[in-house]
Amino acid sequence: MSDDPLAQWLSYRDALPLAWHVAAPGELPSGWAEQNLRTLAAVTTLDERSRIDPERTDTQEFERLHHKFDVMIELLGALLRATQSVPQPQPVRLSREGVSWRVGEGAPPPGTRVDVDLYLHSCAPAALRWRGEVVAHHGGEVCLRFLPMPELLQAALERHVFTRHRRSVADARSPASRSEGH
């Protein structure tokens, strides 16, 4: 059995902007769960991979329009990033139960309540905002377990983690990623 408290949950690793600070006493601001649900829905939409049927005659026109929308979304994302102070991406691991990230000096000790802002997509309108408790330091990472959240938000987070985990496994198995490693 691993001494990593988040190892028992499906997770994925990525380089994402993350900001944290010791939580102030009290509750998270009202509306945090609804904002997280909207952000997860936006990330899901932004991450959708199109399934284009090459046999259809209108495929080229659809691809052209799809490309224009992608460019527009990227421009909007660039505008959002220019108006926000977003931290530099860093290695993180996200699961339905928590998040872990590397922290050097000043890592919060176990038992500390921490607020985390995690930016899942450069074009998403907002960061996910979570409150959790530091449960361990493992392998140079701080392991934070989320405090209980509404069931609907928990399900949306599980779907996000499952989709990203499945994609990372598929990417690792693809011939292109294997040939890049040699």
Side-chain angles (χ1 to χ4, degrees):
M1 174 109 178
S2 171
D3 59 344
D4 179 355
L6 300 179
Q8 67 185 9
W9 306 104
L10 186 67
S11 65
Y12 73 95
R13 289 191 176 273
D14 202 349
L16 300 171
L18 178 140
W20 67 272
H21 62 274
V22 174
E27 298 291 318
L28 277 170
S30 65
W32 71 272
E34 292 81 12
Q35 179 60 47
N36 280 347
L37 276 170
R38 285 191 297 274
T39 299
L40 283 168
V43 168
T44 298
T45 300
L46 291 166
D47 279 348
E48 284 180 349
R49 294 183 176 178
S50 60
R51 294 174 185 88
I52 298 172
D53 181 2
E55 300 297 317
R56 295 192 49 170
T57 58
D58 57 352
T59 297
Q60 285 184 328
E61 179 63 16
F62 178 78
E63 284 185 44
R64 188 180 68 75
L65 289 172
H66 187 78
H67 179 70
K68 284 184 176 186
F69 277 115
D70 284 347
V71 169
M72 185 178 67
I73 289 170
E74 286 296 325
L75 290 171
L76 183 57
L79 180 63
L80 282 171
R81 286 188 302 277
T83 62
Q84 297 176 338
S85 175
V86 176
Q88 289 297 311
Q90 62 178 296
V92 299
R93 181 179 51 157
L94 181 63
S95 77
R96 69 178 217 143
E97 289 295 315
V99 63
S100 64
W101 70 97
R102 292 205 174 280
V103 177
E105 295 293 317
T112 305
R113 290 219 170 166
V114 173
D115 288 340
V116 172
D117 291 341
L118 186 60
Y119 298 81
L120 294 178
H121 195 286
S122 62
C123 295
L128 289 174
R129 177 157 290 151
W130 306 102
R131 177 162 291 164
E133 184 175 316
V134 175
V135 292
H137 293 179
H138 177 75
E141 294 183 340
V142 171
C143 297
L144 180 98
R145 181 165 286 145
F146 299 133
L147 296 182
M149 64 185 81
E151 198 172 311
L152 194 56
L153 180 55
Q154 182 75 50
L157 179 58
E158 280 185 64
R159 279 190 304 277
H160 170 77
V161 169
F162 176 78
T163 301
R164 289 286 178 98
H165 174 77
R166 187 178 65 203
R167 187 174 298 154
S168 68
V169 169
D171 288 347
R173 290 181 179 169
S174 76
S177 67
R178 284 194 299 264
S179 67
E180 290 172 3
H182 292 122

